[in-house]
Structures are given as structure tokens and as C-alpha cells.
Amino acid sequence: MAFRRRNKSYPFFSQEFLIQNHADIVFSLVIFILIGLMFEATAKTAILFIQPQYNVTTLSAEGEVTFYHYGWKDSATILFYFFIAIILHAVVQEYLLDKVNRRLHLSKSKNTKFNESGQLCVFHLVSSVWSFYILITEGYLLHPSSLWENYPHVHLRFQVKFFYLTQLAYWLHALPELYFQKVRKEEISRQLQYICLYLLHIAAAYLLNMSRVGLVLLFLQYVSELGFHIARLFYFTDENHQKMFDMWAVSFVFTRMATLTLMFLAVGFGLARAENQGLDLEMGNFNTVLIRMTVLLLVCLTQSWLLWKFIRFQLRRWREFRHEQAVRKKAATKQALRPLKRDSRECKRRFIGNQSICGWSLFYSHYIVQSV
């Protein structure tokens, strides 16, 4: 299974060979794990990589319901879907983005940003639809108080736990992709910032048993980011498509305000009024004043930093727009003065041929100007 076109062969285990064939190597590892399911001796080990662990079956009004909690075995599952994310990344790049790039003929800097937005656009679209489906089926949107009631939310349904595991796997896979995709040094620091922020917030919501609040926040964030990357893709195809950035700007500010409001409502007021105050690692209870204030401070600092960057970007964009308008006005003024200069030259030529008529016209024009 080849994901990249081989224009040149490189020595085995060299840097270029690894970059060119990383998807094939990872695909071989995935096949090796799947083959392990076929044999009884290795099936129990292979299932750790594929299926979420720590399942608990309980009786309820609906019958037997299976819930999940987290543990160290989740790292094996995250590793497997880490490999899957690398393969899917290569598939999207090879069969979708590269074909579009050949038609657009973008520069290297724009090509890198186009690939980044294309990959994130696919991921944000899938994740936003998936998270919205979970919020509807679990009833979190219809009953907002369920986001903090009955905390700690140790027992998760399969779809909730699987969502968090795949989210962690995707953002972890984004780290080696900076090397595989040969991202420019100027872009690495910016991409590392948002990758680490996503990993920090998702891991905190998962490990601190705040998965319900985290789902809502991820849904809002992914919808907002989806609008931005769609706007950037349209901008690369045609630079006249800039109105979508204005729509994204409104959704960006709304997302920041909604995130802060929800965090203060759920963590600052909801969990603060809960009865089970105190740290209990066995029960998964992290409802202490220090942890709540740390979580609120982390979210507030992140949202404030994003708003600060957004305001700086808008101000820079406004200055560039004003500068372009000033340049256009100067160019229009110069074009308007050119006919006047031609008229003055024509008048001078006629004055030489007919001094009396032109002299009287200049006299009256001078008199009118002086009188005004």
C-alpha cells in the first residue's frame, strides 16, 4: 500500500526514506497488531490496542449497561489510534490535498498553510459532528445541569471514552507530523502552541473526570475552528473571498464568551456547591478549591491569550487595509492630475499661436481665483 509517489529511492533507514515511507511503515505495524487477533496466544494482548479497557457492567432500568473508566492501559489504545491517525493523515494528503495543490500552483508558504487547513478542516468537521451527536444522545444539551451534577463522572459510556481516546491520539500524532511533513521552522512554534494546548485541555478534562464539560467546550471550539479553516481554504483558491473571515470573527468572539461563561457556571458555581468536597483519588473526586481555581485560571488565561492574538490580528489587518486605501487614493489622484497637466501644455501651445485669446483667459482665470 503506497501513499506517496516515489520519484526517487533513498537508502534504507535514512532520514528521507523514513519521511517518504512513514505511512507504509505505520500501516505494517497496524497489520501486525490486527494479525495478533487471529491467534489465541496473542489475542488478549492485541485487544488492548484496539478496544477500550476498564469496562464495568451495571444494572439499570434499561437493563445491563456497560460503562468505562480510565487507567494506564489506555496508553496502548491511544498508541494504536495514533498509528491510525498517521495513516488517515497520509490518505487525505495524497488523495485529496496534493491533487488540489497541483491545480492551484501555490507558493511554498501558502502550500504549507493550505495542507494544514485541509487536514484540520477534515478533522474538525468529523469531530464537531461526532461531539454534537454525543451531546444529543447523552442529553447534555437539553439538561445543562447534568454537566456538573453527580460529579465525579467516573463511569463513561463507550462513545464518550472512545471519543477522548481518539482525540488524544490525533493531537499526539500531530507532533511527529511536523517532522514528516517538513514543516518550515517559522511555522513549527505556532503549530506546537495549539497542539500542546489541545493536549493539555483534553487530557485535563479526561483525567479530572470533567468529560461532560470538556465535550461541550470541544464542540464549540471545533465549530469555530472549522469556520476559520474553511475560510482560509477559500482564500487560497481566490484571494477575493474574505467575507468568510468576518463571519468567523463573530463566531470566534462568541466561542470565547460562551467558553468562559460555561466554565464559571459549571466549575465556579456548580462544583463549588456540590456536597462531595475534597480530594479522593480512589473515587476519582478532584473537587477541591485549589483544583477548581487552577482549572478556571488555565481556561481564562488560554481564552484571554486567544482574544489578545485575535485583536492584534484584526488591528494589523485594519492597518493594512487603511494603507492599501491610502495607496489607492494616491494612485487615483495622480491619474486625475495627468489630464490637467496635458491641458496646461495645450493651453501654452495655443498661447504661443494666439497670445491675445489665451492671455485674456489666463487673466480672467487669475482674477476669479484671487476673488474667491
Side-chain angles (χ1 to χ4, degrees):
M1 183 176 183
F3 293 100
R4 295 284 180 179
R5 289 179 179 154
R6 274 80 173 162
N7 298 326
K8 184 179 179 181
S9 59
Y10 297 96
F12 285 100
F13 305 110
S14 64
Q15 181 180 358
E16 293 297 331
F17 177 83
L18 180 62
I19 293 174
Q20 189 182 56
N21 300 278
H22 71 277
D24 294 330
I25 296 172
V26 171
F27 183 76
S28 301
L29 293 175
V30 171
I31 294 298
F32 179 76
I33 294 173
L34 293 176
I35 291 175
L37 295 174
M38 302 172 60
F39 303 97
E40 185 177 358
T42 58
K44 292 183 179 180
T45 304
I47 201 66
L48 293 176
F49 293 90
I50 302 172
Q51 182 179 345
Q53 302 299 308
Y54 304 104
N55 55 319
V56 178
T57 303
T58 59
L59 295 175
S60 63
E62 301 176 356
E64 291 186 354
V65 181
T66 302
F67 292 98
Y68 294 83
H69 58 92
Y70 64 81
W72 67 270
K73 293 181 181 179
D74 291 340
S75 58
T77 310
I78 293 173
L79 179 63
F80 178 78
Y81 290 101
F82 168 86
F83 294 153
I84 297 296
I86 292 177
I87 296 172
L88 294 178
H89 188 111
V91 170
V92 173
Q93 185 68 39
E94 174 67 20
Y95 297 103
L96 181 61
L97 298 179
D98 286 348
K99 292 183 178 180
V100 178
N101 284 331
R102 296 189 192 99
R103 296 183 179 181
L104 295 179
H105 303 288
L106 299 175
S107 61
K108 290 184 178 179
S109 59
K110 289 185 177 181
N111 189 19
T112 302
K113 293 181 179 180
F114 181 85
N115 291 333
E116 177 193 2
S117 292
Q119 294 286 347
L120 290 177
C121 187
V122 174
F123 171 73
H124 288 319
L125 177 62
V126 174
S127 297
S128 58
V129 173
W130 190 4
S131 59
F132 181 73
Y133 173 78
I134 295 174
L135 292 175
I136 292 297
T137 55
E138 296 294 330
Y140 298 153
L141 292 181
L142 299 178
H143 303 88
S145 59
S146 62
L147 299 178
W148 60 84
E149 288 181 349
N150 300 322
Y151 179 85
H153 307 137
V154 179
H155 297 98
L156 308 175
R157 292 185 181 272
F158 173 81
Q159 59 181 355
V160 178
K161 178 168 182 173
F162 189 64
F163 176 81
Y164 272 97
L165 294 180
T166 53
Q167 292 295 310
L168 291 172
Y170 180 85
W171 290 113
L172 284 173
H173 112 279
L175 295 174
E177 284 295 341
L178 298 176
Y179 171 74
F180 293 144
Q181 298 298 323
K182 295 182 179 180
V183 178
R184 300 171 60 189
K185 293 182 180 180
E186 298 81 5
E187 295 289 329
I188 290 178
S189 60
R190 179 185 62 84
Q191 295 190 28
L192 276 177
Q193 287 178 357
Y194 69 77
I195 292 172
C196 293
L197 283 175
Y198 273 114
L199 284 173
L200 178 62
H201 286 75
I202 294 173
Y206 184 63
L207 297 176
L208 296 178
N209 295 318
M210 297 181 183
S211 57
R212 299 181 182 181
V213 181
L215 270 172
V216 180
L217 296 183
L218 283 176
F219 169 72
L220 294 174
Q221 177 66 20
Y222 286 158
V223 171
S224 176
E225 289 298 303
L226 177 63
F228 170 74
H229 290 292
I230 290 177
R232 194 156 73 160
L233 289 177
F234 277 103
Y235 175 77
F236 286 139
T237 56
D238 187 359
E239 293 185 357
N240 294 323
H241 293 293
Q242 297 184 1
K243 294 183 179 179
M244 295 190 66
F245 283 109
D246 299 331
M247 299 174 60
W248 165 77
V250 176
S251 66
F252 180 87
V253 177
F254 172 78
T255 303
R256 305 284 80 77
M257 297 297 104
T259 300
L260 292 174
T261 303
L262 181 61
M263 285 301 298
F264 278 103
L265 180 64
V267 179
F269 294 96
L271 294 181
R273 296 181 179 181
E275 297 179 356
N276 51 347
Q277 299 285 335
L279 182 62
D280 190 351
L281 297 179
E282 293 183 359
M283 297 296 297
N285 186 15
F286 299 94
N287 190 10
T288 63
V289 177
L290 178 61
I291 294 178
R292 288 200 307 269
M293 295 303 296
T294 303
V295 171
L296 284 176
L297 182 62
L298 174 63
V299 174
C300 290
L301 288 177
T302 303
Q303 302 304 313
S304 302
W305 178 69
L306 290 174
L307 280 173
W308 177 68
K309 288 188 64 177
F310 174 78
I311 292 172
R312 285 187 59 189
F313 171 76
Q314 294 297 331
L315 288 175
R316 185 173 70 251
R317 187 182 174 189
W318 178 74
R319 292 193 190 101
E320 293 176 354
F321 176 76
R322 292 294 300 271
H323 179 70
E324 290 178 0
Q325 291 294 325
V327 171
R328 290 177 182 177
K329 286 183 180 179
K330 289 182 180 180
T333 304
K334 289 181 180 179
Q335 290 180 357
L337 290 175
R338 288 176 182 175
L340 294 177
K341 292 181 179 179
R342 292 176 181 176
D343 293 342
S344 63
R345 292 176 182 175
E346 184 69 20
C347 182
K348 185 177 180 180
R349 185 182 62 80
R350 291 180 180 180
F351 177 76
I352 295 174
N354 193 356
Q355 295 181 359
S356 59
I357 297 175
C358 191
W360 281 106
S361 63
L362 290 172
F363 171 76
Y364 280 114
S365 63
H366 177 74
Y367 176 76
I368 291 171
V369 170
Q370 291 293 330
S371 62
V372 173

